[in-house]
């Protein structure tokens, strides 16, 4: 038993590489050791900026023997007159056996000869020598490169390789790189420590590297950094703003973590917290320190009450350099913040309304005019959505104002520098100028949600503006003939559509998107007579696109793709999907609940059966009432009367406009499931497809009306057993 | 260390590393990479090792000289070595030592930063080098240039000279940098900066520049058709700079931008192919030069 060490030494790897490949590597190693029949203890994989490491404890020196057997020729072909034939001799030779060692066994197909043999275990070092280059070659990552004259591809150039079983070097030639690499006994320490360090024993590797300034174990390194940050923030009695992805990135940017607390000139606390925090976290990978009692108000223009004039920087330097490094980092942040300060002051020389005028000089997209034109279209959408909503007069006025001012910050200097602050800066500037909180917050919230699980707008006006902004985008980009396809969605239209639905659901708003889009397309058509070639096609494309978003969002909620199909799939007319997106979601939730309660099955079965037969009927899907269609004189059985009774009781529910009708409809369907089953299978059941056309059609019509009534809830034929 | 001494020190350092020392190329460009000494020489099998300072113009980055960190005209120091040698990071770190920046006194890191020039149809992977949190150098292993795979791969090292100088001279203002003992960076460049910004943002005629773009594009196409890659590159560079000027005026929409970049890239690709076949027809002469130091 030995300890196995593999170290792939590289030039500095991208910070997300370890996170991406360590799990891959571990499963490759685990899999291949199993296939190679090499017993082993714990497998651990590590990564630093300059190395990817595998350590395997207690690996066997040989792989296990394998007993195998192979079936040979039938007995009568293997032996003639008790003498082995050429077939038997050849078969035995293949496994290095003599003919006497062959076994004869009875099988259902007669007697056959068998060869039993042992595949001897192989030296671990030989097996590993074959496997290691495969592992290195099989790692998958983003943007691999070639270097020098080589053809090998990896994340960054591979510069050294250690492969050890205890103290024994496993001979490996890693081909294809420039230069080609042979496994050796020497690792490299941290850049500022020893350049070549001999690894005497695989099991001493971690310790040896630690002595040379490298914390190889990634989770240990992450922990060290976390503790350093906690300790430093406690010193200042502050709260460290360290999102998980920043912590992960910091872990992959250093081999020898240390920390310093840098100072920020107090005058910079006159800047918005978001500006400082973006400069720190995004541009410099520093950790901002928030005061414990900081005020969470996105409209604040300064951060005197929120931030400490400090930052934490996780370093990779010698302890003796910390003073120098602190000065350097302070300088860099100072330059960035001085820049931001300069931009802010320039911005404040102009009013937001003036900036709106400046939007006239920025083109939005070819054929779609300027950003100013875009804002005009957003205003139109807001105005025409207002009738769907129960807003007070003053709230309506605020919504229109927010629409007018929504994009002014796109021409501000500071958003030019910090694009991720769009909306946030716009809101702050407006509030500073004396605009109401409602209008200012709406301008901020128009960009929410930023992802499928992101925060949605909290205010009504913000929600309306966010929906309008996205509808404008969809209509305009579709109008100019572009459609998202595959991975190409440059205007993030998928995210925009998801946002519309998420907000509608969150606000419980009932907006008839179908009729709204129909109206809007007329307006767009008038604006862009040259762009819109075929508005019917545009409408179909846009609505089908929305249907797809609907389906994918619902499917993400929990896994009931068949229910989603029964509500929004291709068998459902598009207007039923878009006329009230909230309604669709409510029905989705109802059906999922029915499934959980175990009552969906019986309804589905009977309605599906009815719907299949009803395809032979000749009545429109919009008919919900039996009156004038069903002739009781043609009834021959009790079950037909029972069925009619069910239809009569469902009819008024179907015709209600409230959202409770679905619950009622579902309850009634569940309660009637037995009655309906009796129609097909009960003691007094009837044949539907009888010869008499009158009776047949009467029965088919009963089923068709049931189908139509149930269809209000869902297309039950799409639901799985 | 004065600005001019930094250039001198880098010249000395890289010439000792066996690099050819060249001078700036005389066409406006947005980055040192666009000089034919990089963008053309990175193509094909011939070895190459070069170092040169290069003025760059990025019209949209100008701030009329009011901003201490930004200018529409500045300098890069460019090194390109093909094939990329082993140990190039360590060589680079010694170049910082030559400037008086000692690794042991600093936190120097190689942070992933991949480079792509959509107009040149070029991309590579590499790092930005952080000196105590400040980006001072860009490192790129060229993978493609003019749409052609780079074989062998070149390593490009681009120093931001002003950044380095500000660090070495401990000043927060680019215009206060000392070019030599007497004359500051601002003394030399500020008058140009102010005038150029007025031109870039206010006085340039978008109409005429659109015409210029078309003219340059036609010229480049004709030169390509006539099998003249070197002058064709000049006109591709002129297209690129004219496009940047139009962008600074804010008259290019998002989609027009994509389309125009596509047009320039298309030209750059043809120039790259033409250059490669020209070198091939000459038998790749540099393959036979003794490239030993």
């Amino acid at each position: 038993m030995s300890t196995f060490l593999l170290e792939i030494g590289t030039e500095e790897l991208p910070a997300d590489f370890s996170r991406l490949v360590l799990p891959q590597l571990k499963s490759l190693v685990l899999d291949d050791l199993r296939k190679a029949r090499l017993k082993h203890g714990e497998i651990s994989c590590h990564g630093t900026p300059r190395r990817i490491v595998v350590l395997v404890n207690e690996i066997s020196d040989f792989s296990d023997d394998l007993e195998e057997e192979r079936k040979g020729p039938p007995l009568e072909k293997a032996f003639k007159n008790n003498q082995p034939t050429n077939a038997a001799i050849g078969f035995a030779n293949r496994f290095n056996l003599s003919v006497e060692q062959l076994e004869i066994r009875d099988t259902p197909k007669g007697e056959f000869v068998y060869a039993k043999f042992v595949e001897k275990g192989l030296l671990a070092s030989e097996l590993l020598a074959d496997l290691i280059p495969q592992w290195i070659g099989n790692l998958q990552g983003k943007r691999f490169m070639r270097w020098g004259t080589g053809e090998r591809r990896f994340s960054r150039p591979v510069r050294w390789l250690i492969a050890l079983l205890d103290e024994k070097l496993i001979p490996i030639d890693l081909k294809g790189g420039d230069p080609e690499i042979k496994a050796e006994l020497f690792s490299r320490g941290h850049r500022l420590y020893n350049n070549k360090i001999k690894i005497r024993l695989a099991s001493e590797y971690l310790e040896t590297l630690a002595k040379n300034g490298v914390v190889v174990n990634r989770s240990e390194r992450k922990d060290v950094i976390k503790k350093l940050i906690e300790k430093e923030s406690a010193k200042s009695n502050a709260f460290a703003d360290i999102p998980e992805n920043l912590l992960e990135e910091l872990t992959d940017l250093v081999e020898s973590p240390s920390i310093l607390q840098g100072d920020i000139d107090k005058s910079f606390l006159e800047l918005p917290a978001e500006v400082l925090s973006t400069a720190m976290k995004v541009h410099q990978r520093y950790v901002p320190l928030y005061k414990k009692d900081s005020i969470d108000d996105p409209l604040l223009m300064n951060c005197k009450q929120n931030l400490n004039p400090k930052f934490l920087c996780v370093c990779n330097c010698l302890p003796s350099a910390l003073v120098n490094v602190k000065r350097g980092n302070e300088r860099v942040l100072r330059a960035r913040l001085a820049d931001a300060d300069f931009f802010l002051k320039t911005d404040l020389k102009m009013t937001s309304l003036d900036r709106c005028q400046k939007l006239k000089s920025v083109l939005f997209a070819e054929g779609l005019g300027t950003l100013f034109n875009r804002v005009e279209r957003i205003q139109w959408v807001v105005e025409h959505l207002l009738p769907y909503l129960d807003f007070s007069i003053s709230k309506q006025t605020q919504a229109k104002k927010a629409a007018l001012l929504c994009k002014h910050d796109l021409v501000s200097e500071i958003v030019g520098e910090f694009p991720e602050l769009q909306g946030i800066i716009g809101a702050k500037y407006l509030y500073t100028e004396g605009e109401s909180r409602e209008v200012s917050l709406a301008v901020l919230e128009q960009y929410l949600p930023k992802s499928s699980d992101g925060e949605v707008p909290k205010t009504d006006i913000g929600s309306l503006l966010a929906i309008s902004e996205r509808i404008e985008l969809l209509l305009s980009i579709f109008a100019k003939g572009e459609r998202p396809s595959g991975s190409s969605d440059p205007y993030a239209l998928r995210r925009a559509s998801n946002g519309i639905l998420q907000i509608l659901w969150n606000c419980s708003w009932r907006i008839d998107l179908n009729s709204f889009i129909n109206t809007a397309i007329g307006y767009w058509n008038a604006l862009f007579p040259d762009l819109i070639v075929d508005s019917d096609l545009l409408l179909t494309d846009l609505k089908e696109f929305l249907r797809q978003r609907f389906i994918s969002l619902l499917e993400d909620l929990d896994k009931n793709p068949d229910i989603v199909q029964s509500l929004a799939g291709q068998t459902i007319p598009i207007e039923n999907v878009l006329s009230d997106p909230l309604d669709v979601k409510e029905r989705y939730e109802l059906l999922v609940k029915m499934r959980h309660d175990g009552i969906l099955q019986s309804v589905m079965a009977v309605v599906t059966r009815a719907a299949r037969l009803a395809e032979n009927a000749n009545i429109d899907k919009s008919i919900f009432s039996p009156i004038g269609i069903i002739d009781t004189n043609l009834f021959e059985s009790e079950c037909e009367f029972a069925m009619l009774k069910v239809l009569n009781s469902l009819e008024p529910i179907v015709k209600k406009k409230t959202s409770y009708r679905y619950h009622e409809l579902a309850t009634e369907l569940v309660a009637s499931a037995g009655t309906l089953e009796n129609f097909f299978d009960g003691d007094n059941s009837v044949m539907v497809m009888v010869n008499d056309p009158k009776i047949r059609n009467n029965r088919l019509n009963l089923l068709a009306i049931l189908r139509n009534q149930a269809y209000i809830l869902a297309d039950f034929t799409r639901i799985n057993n | 260390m004065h600005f001019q001494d930094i250039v001198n020190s880098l010249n000395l350092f890289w010439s000792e590393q066996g690099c050819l020392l060249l001078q700036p190329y005389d066409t406006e460009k947005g980055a040192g990479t666009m000089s034919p000494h990089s963008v053309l020489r990175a193509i094909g099998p011939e070895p190459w090792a070069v170092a040169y300072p290069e003025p760059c113009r990025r019209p949209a980055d100008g701030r009329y000289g009011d901003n201490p960190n930004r200018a529409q005209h500045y300098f890069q120091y460019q090194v390109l070595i093909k094939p990329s040698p082993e140990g190039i990071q360590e060589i680079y770190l010694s170049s910082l030592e030559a400037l008086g920046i000692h690794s042991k006194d600093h936190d120097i890191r190689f942070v992933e930063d991949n480079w792509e020039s959509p107009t040149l149809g070029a991309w590579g992977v590499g790092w930005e080098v952080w000196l105590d949190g400040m980006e001072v150098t860009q490192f790129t292993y060229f993978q493609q240039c003019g749409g052609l795979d780079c074989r062998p791969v070149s390593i490009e090292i681009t120093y931001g000279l002003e950044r380095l100088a500000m660090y070495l001279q401990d000043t927060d203002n680019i215009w206060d940098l000392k070019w030599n003992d007497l004359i500051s960076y601002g003394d030399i460049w500020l008058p140009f900066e102010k005038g150029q910004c007025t031109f870039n943002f206010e006085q340039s005629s978008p109409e005429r520049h659109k015409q210029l773009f078309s003219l340059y594009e036609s010229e480049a196409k004709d030169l390509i058709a006539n099998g003249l890659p070197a002058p064709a590159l000049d006109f591709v560079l002129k297209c690129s700079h004219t496009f940047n000027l139009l962008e600074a005026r804010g008259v290019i929409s998002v989609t027009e931008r994509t389309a125009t970049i596509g047009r320039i890239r298309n030209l750059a690709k043809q120039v790259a192919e033409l250059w490669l076949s020209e070198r091939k027809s000459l038998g790749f002469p540099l393959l036979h030069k003794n490239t030993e130091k």
Side-chain angles (χ1 to χ4, degrees):
Chain A
M1 298 248 260
S2 313
T3 303
F4 166 61
L5 163 70
L6 170 66
E7 184 189 50
I8 309 162
T10 64
E11 296 183 3
E12 271 77 351
L13 296 163
D16 58 357
F17 187 69
S18 282
R19 262 172 287 166
L20 207 65
V21 301
L22 294 184
Q24 289 175 32
L25 188 56
K26 191 165 181 176
S27 78
L28 278 174
V29 173
L30 190 68
D31 234 39
D32 284 342
L33 293 185
R34 185 180 48 77
K35 283 186 202 148
R37 305 193 306 278
L38 267 172
K39 286 210 177 69
H40 60 84
E42 189 197 352
I43 299 175
S44 56
C45 295
H46 309 285
T48 79
R50 291 216 295 162
R51 64 203 87 225
I52 296 290
V53 175
V54 182
L55 274 166
V56 183
N57 289 336
E58 297 169 326
I59 196 164
S60 301
D61 298 326
F62 286 92
S63 60
D64 294 342
D65 293 349
L66 181 70
E67 274 197 15
E68 289 213 77
E69 61 173 37
R70 295 277 191 284
K71 190 177 178 187
L75 183 61
E76 68 268 19
K77 291 213 172 133
F79 293 92
K80 295 258 161 83
N81 310 321
N82 272 339
Q83 290 300 311
T85 61
N86 282 342
I89 297 167
F91 177 65
N93 282 347
R94 257 167 59 203
F95 305 102
N96 282 328
L97 300 174
S98 63
V99 177
E100 293 74 41
Q101 287 171 295
L102 294 177
E103 292 177 18
I104 296 161
R105 259 187 260 161
D106 209 6
T107 77
K109 289 182 176 171
E111 284 183 306
F112 282 79
V113 297
Y114 278 81
K116 246 184 151 176
F117 61 98
V118 175
E119 196 181 286
K120 273 292 200 188
L122 297 174
L123 263 175
S125 60
E126 284 173 13
L127 289 165
L128 288 167
D130 281 344
L131 289 172
I132 289 166
Q134 295 175 27
W135 292 337
I136 298 173
N138 282 334
L139 293 178
Q140 304 282 324
K142 291 180 250 177
R143 284 227 159 184
F144 273 18
M145 60 172 285
R146 293 173 285 112
W147 59 96
T149 55
E151 287 298 320
R152 176 170 284 276
R153 304 178 78 87
F154 203 66
S155 181
R156 289 295 181 270
V158 180
R159 291 308 185 195
W160 77 91
L161 194 65
I162 301 183
L164 284 180
L165 275 170
D166 286 345
E167 77 290 348
K168 286 186 300 291
L169 187 69
I170 302 173
I172 294 170
D173 281 325
L174 191 65
K175 301 246 187 280
D178 175 17
E180 292 188 343
I181 305 287
K182 280 186 193 315
E184 54 180 341
L185 295 172
F186 293 93
S187 177
R188 315 283 187 279
H190 181 285
R191 280 193 182 281
L192 297 171
Y193 291 70
N194 279 339
N195 195 28
K196 280 211 159 184
I197 12 174
K198 187 168 181 182
I199 306 299
R200 279 193 332 112
L201 208 55
S203 56
E204 288 175 2
Y205 169 76
L206 291 177
E207 201 184 322
T208 311
L209 266 287
K211 280 188 198 142
N212 287 280
V214 184
V215 186
V216 175
N217 186 318
R218 194 177 175 279
S219 54
E220 186 184 319
R221 209 165 59 244
K222 185 173 159 186
D223 220 42
V224 170
I225 293 171
K226 211 172 162 181
K227 290 216 169 84
L228 285 171
I229 291 171
E230 278 164 10
K231 203 173 128 198
E232 285 299 312
S233 48
K235 266 194 212 163
S236 318
N237 191 31
F239 160 75
D241 177 15
I242 171 93
E244 187 61 19
N245 59 3
L246 180 59
L247 179 61
E248 294 279 4
E249 191 181 1
L250 289 173
T251 307
D252 289 320
L253 281 176
V254 297
E255 295 205 303
S256 180
S258 58
I259 198 162
L260 67 82
Q261 190 157 156
D263 293 304
I264 302 172
D265 192 303
K266 280 211 172 72
S267 67
F268 289 125
L269 298 184
E270 298 292 340
L271 292 169
E274 293 85 348
V275 170
L276 269 83
S277 121
T278 307
M280 286 191 237
K281 289 193 289 190
V282 180
H283 297 173
Q284 295 296 136
R285 279 81 154 185
Y286 300 151
V287 181
L289 291 174
Y290 277 82
K291 291 185 197 301
K292 288 232 160 113
D293 53 356
S294 76
I295 301 161
D296 182 20
D297 180 356
L299 297 181
L300 279 181
M301 266 301 262
N302 66 60
C303 57
K304 283 181 283 195
Q305 288 157 293
N306 291 346
L307 278 174
N308 274 357
K310 302 259 182 200
F311 64 91
L312 299 181
C313 170
V314 175
C315 312
N316 194 37
C317 58
L318 297 177
S320 57
L322 276 171
V323 177
N324 211 15
V325 174
K326 171 174 143 85
R327 247 184 83 234
N329 278 286
E330 286 173 353
R331 255 181 83 89
V332 183
L333 186 61
R334 188 161 66 238
R336 285 206 184 270
L337 295 180
D339 244 16
D341 186 50
F342 175 84
F343 293 142
L344 195 83
K345 290 199 170 112
T346 311
D347 283 345
L348 292 176
K349 287 181 194 153
M350 193 184 253
T351 66
S352 300
L353 215 52
D354 286 341
R355 257 191 301 276
C356 287
Q357 291 302 310
K358 260 183 96 180
L359 294 172
K360 284 180 179 164
S361 64
V362 186
L363 285 172
F364 166 47
E366 192 151 37
L368 294 172
T370 64
L371 283 178
F372 188 84
N373 301 130
R374 171 159 200 240
V375 171
E376 288 177 324
R377 296 191 293 270
I378 294 174
Q379 287 176 272
W380 185 92
V381 176
V382 166
E383 258 174 60
H384 289 77
L385 284 178
L386 276 171
Y388 291 92
L389 302 167
D390 186 23
F391 278 17
S392 68
I393 298 290
S394 67
K395 212 161 156 185
Q396 293 190 21
T397 314
Q398 286 174 333
K400 289 177 196 169
K401 186 121 191 231
L404 168 72
L405 294 165
C406 68
K407 299 290 179 193
H408 79 89
D409 62 344
L410 294 187
V411 286
S412 70
E413 297 276 332
I414 209 132
V415 170
E417 182 69 9
F418 297 87
E420 55 270 77
L421 296 184
Q422 62 177 3
I424 297 174
I425 289 296
K428 287 180 196 284
Y429 285 179
L430 286 171
Y431 192 57
T432 309
E433 288 167 11
E435 195 47 72
S436 66
R437 278 195 82 81
E438 288 79 2
V439 170
S440 309
L441 280 174
V443 169
L444 183 153
E445 289 184 330
Q446 70 178 304
Y447 295 106
L448 303 179
K450 288 186 174 157
S451 62
S452 59
D453 51 0
E455 191 190 343
V456 288
K458 289 192 188 76
T459 71
D460 283 350
I461 303 175
S463 302
L464 172 59
L465 188 58
I467 291 174
S468 306
E469 194 258 359
R470 286 161 176 78
I471 290 181
E472 189 284 330
L473 184 70
L474 279 171
L475 277 163
S476 293
I477 302 303
F478 269 74
K480 88 193 204 56
E482 286 192 38
R483 310 282 185 268
S485 68
S487 59
S488 163
D489 183 9
Y491 294 95
L493 297 183
R494 290 195 185 94
R495 200 172 66 206
S497 320
N498 287 354
I500 294 171
L501 297 172
Q502 284 167 276
I503 297 168
L504 284 180
W505 291 344
N506 178 60
C507 296
S508 294
W509 282 348
R510 294 186 188 283
I511 292 181
D512 185 343
L513 281 182
N514 189 58
S515 73
F516 182 79
I517 290 172
N518 289 342
T519 316
I521 201 70
Y523 179 70
W524 253 254
N525 230 329
L527 286 179
F528 304 110
D530 300 338
L531 280 185
I532 301 171
V533 185
D534 180 344
S535 57
D536 285 345
L537 186 68
L538 165 61
L539 271 179
T540 317
D541 282 1
L542 178 55
K543 290 176 181 178
E544 285 303 319
F545 177 70
L546 282 169
R547 183 207 292 274
Q548 288 314 315
R549 300 327 304 153
F550 223 118
I551 291 174
S552 100
L553 262 188
L554 284 174
E555 282 182 350
D556 284 349
L557 287 181
D558 45 348
K559 303 287 168 218
N560 286 293
D562 58 329
I563 295 185
V564 175
Q565 288 298 326
S566 79
L567 297 168
Q570 291 300 333
T571 58
I572 309 294
I574 190 68
E575 54 273 18
N576 291 13
V577 181
L578 296 183
S579 61
D580 187 350
L582 179 63
D583 181 273
V584 178
K585 180 156 180 271
E586 286 168 346
R587 281 183 281 144
Y588 174 79
E589 284 161 357
L590 176 65
L591 292 176
V592 170
K593 185 172 181 303
M594 287 170 72
R595 171 165 281 170
H596 280 298
D597 296 346
I599 53 176
L600 186 59
Q601 176 62 29
S602 56
V603 176
M604 184 279 291
V606 74
V607 174
T608 300
R609 205 162 164 189
R612 296 248 160 84
L613 280 163
E615 275 168 28
N616 302 304
N618 212 0
I619 61 171
D620 196 83
K621 284 195 171 170
S622 60
I623 291 172
F624 301 111
S625 170
I627 296 166
I629 306 258
I630 302 300
D631 183 355
T632 49
N633 294 321
L634 295 168
F635 283 179
E636 293 179 335
S637 160
E638 270 308 300
C639 74
E640 288 169 287
F641 286 100
M643 171 76 112
L644 180 63
K645 207 175 151 199
V646 171
L647 299 185
N648 282 330
S649 65
L650 289 173
E651 185 193 340
I653 306 176
V654 166
K655 288 185 172 165
K656 280 184 190 171
K657 286 289 168 224
T658 65
S659 54
Y660 321 117
R661 63 178 169 160
Y662 301 122
H663 281 277
E664 288 181 44
L665 189 61
T667 314
E668 195 62 33
L669 279 169
V670 171
S672 316
T675 315
L676 299 172
E677 272 162 32
N678 281 337
F679 184 82
F680 298 110
D681 303 321
D683 292 340
N684 301 310
S685 65
V686 290
M687 269 279 287
V688 177
M689 302 306 277
V690 291
N691 284 332
D692 182 334
K694 282 185 181 167
I695 297 179
R696 186 172 69 225
N697 283 335
N698 203 45
R699 286 179 186 160
L700 283 171
N701 287 345
L702 278 173
L703 297 175
I705 289 168
L706 174 66
R707 172 201 65 194
N708 293 355
Q709 290 175 338
Y711 204 75
I712 292 291
L713 190 53
D715 178 357
F716 282 90
T717 63
R718 305 296 302 267
I719 295 176
N720 299 337
N721 267 327
Chain B
M1 192 179 263
H2 297 144
F3 197 89
Q4 64 189 32
D5 297 330
I6 297 175
V7 176
N8 275 339
S9 303
L10 290 173
N11 272 338
L12 185 63
F13 179 86
W14 287 104
S15 88
E16 280 170 359
Q17 296 298 320
C19 284
L20 203 57
L21 293 187
L22 292 183
Q23 303 301 318
Y25 193 72
D26 62 352
T27 303
E28 301 100 326
K29 64 195 77 60
T33 313
M34 300 170 107
S35 157
H37 305 318
S38 285
V39 74
L40 292 183
R41 295 289 180 174
I43 298 165
E46 294 168 282
W48 188 245
V50 69
Y52 54 90
E54 189 71 51
C56 303
R57 296 203 191 209
R58 298 199 180 164
D61 284 355
R63 294 292 181 272
Y64 295 86
D66 293 337
N67 186 299
N69 296 300
R70 267 168 225 245
Q72 51 84 45
H73 173 277
Y74 58 93
F75 293 88
Q76 293 180 339
Y77 191 90
Q78 169 90 358
V79 178
L80 187 102
I81 303 175
K82 177 172 75 170
S84 66
E86 188 181 16
I88 187 65
Q89 290 174 294
E90 289 73 19
I91 297 172
Y92 163 76
L93 290 172
S94 336
S95 79
L96 292 185
E97 301 273 343
L99 295 175
I101 298 170
H102 304 292
S103 298
K104 65 176 176 40
D105 299 329
H106 295 280
D107 186 358
I108 300 178
R109 281 189 250 171
F110 295 85
V111 179
E112 178 194 16
D113 192 35
N114 302 322
W115 169 83
E116 188 174 1
S117 166
T119 44
L120 292 178
W123 68 276
V125 308
W127 310 278
E128 50 185 42
V129 181
W130 287 6
L131 171 64
D132 301 335
M134 177 169 60
E135 184 198 338
V136 290
T137 303
Q138 186 79 34
F139 246 79
T140 308
Y141 285 97
F142 274 24
Q143 302 295 303
Q144 266 204 342
C145 200
L148 300 171
D149 278 349
C150 295
R151 283 199 166 81
V153 169
S154 305
I155 181 77
E156 178 195 67
I157 302 174
T158 305
Y159 299 77
L161 285 177
E162 287 80 0
R163 289 273 184 90
L164 270 173
M166 284 163 78
Y167 194 88
L168 289 166
Q169 296 183 18
D170 198 13
T171 169
D172 284 341
N173 193 327
I174 182 174
W175 311 109
D176 292 342
L177 283 173
K178 291 184 161 217
W179 196 276
N180 69 9
D181 236 352
L182 277 178
I183 303 290
S184 76
Y185 194 95
D187 290 336
I188 306 166
W189 297 108
L190 209 45
F192 294 93
E193 185 70 16
K194 289 180 193 290
Q196 290 289 357
C197 282
T198 312
F199 166 71
N200 296 342
F201 293 126
E202 302 165 44
Q203 294 297 326
S204 73
S205 150
E207 269 323 301
R208 273 200 298 267
H209 277 85
K210 283 185 178 171
Q211 289 170 17
L212 279 174
F213 184 91
S214 303
L215 288 173
Y216 292 148
E217 189 185 27
S218 308
E219 197 69 7
K221 281 182 182 163
D222 283 0
L223 288 164
I224 290 167
N226 289 311
L228 292 166
L233 177 71
D234 286 351
F235 282 91
V236 174
L237 295 182
K238 284 181 193 297
C239 282
S240 167
H241 180 60
T242 309
F243 168 72
N244 289 342
L245 284 169
L246 286 165
E247 270 225 303
R249 290 289 266 144
V251 295
I252 308 266
S253 70
V254 181
T255 43
E256 208 179 340
R257 186 169 190 277
T258 319
T260 314
I261 288 174
R263 274 154 71 184
I264 303 174
R265 181 173 52 236
N266 191 27
L267 293 174
K269 247 181 101 166
Q270 297 178 54
V271 171
E273 284 160 7
L274 208 52
W275 170 261
L276 183 62
S277 61
E278 184 177 293
R279 297 301 294 174
K280 193 174 175 187
S281 70
L282 296 171
F284 296 124
L286 295 185
L287 277 178
H288 313 297
K289 291 261 174 185
N290 186 355
T291 52
E292 276 172 32
K293 280 173 209 170

